[in-house]
């Protein structure tokens, strides 16, 4: 999609790589590397809160 500024991919060892992106309208995007045309989208604030929650350990049970 045009207008999305994708960050470098976050990759785990032997795992899929994920990319985060934002656009000028304040939306955020998450996609697998190489499949950026198929993404999840929400507000930039929602992405910021998700990152804060992950850093706080709220997703540790998924590891």
């Amino acid at each position: 999609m045009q207008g999305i500024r994708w960050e470098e991919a976050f990759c785990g060892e032997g795992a899929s790589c994920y990319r985060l992106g934002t656009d000028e309208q304040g939306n955020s995007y998450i996609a697998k590397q190489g499949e950026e045309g198929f993404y999840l989208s929400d507000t930039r604030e929602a992405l910021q809160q998700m990152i804060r929650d992950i850093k706080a350990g709220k997703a540790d049970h998924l590891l």
Side-chain angles (χ1 to χ4, degrees):
M1 167 165 248
Q2 192 165 0
I4 299 174
R5 290 179 310 278
W6 292 104
E7 299 289 328
E8 291 296 318
F10 294 92
C11 301
E13 188 175 322
S16 296
C17 297
Y18 292 93
R19 296 185 74 187
L20 302 176
T22 56
D23 67 17
E24 293 292 327
Q25 290 75 41
N27 299 306
S28 63
Y29 303 85
I30 300 173
K32 286 178 64 177
Q33 184 176 18
E35 297 183 22
E36 289 82 357
F38 303 96
Y39 52 79
L40 296 174
S41 178
D42 207 326
T43 64
R44 191 174 302 207
E45 292 79 18
L47 174 62
Q48 291 169 338
Q49 186 60 50
M50 181 183 71
I51 292 169
R52 283 191 290 270
D53 288 346
I54 290 170
K55 289 174 79 173
K58 292 183 180 181
D60 287 357
H61 64 283
L62 299 173
L63 299 174

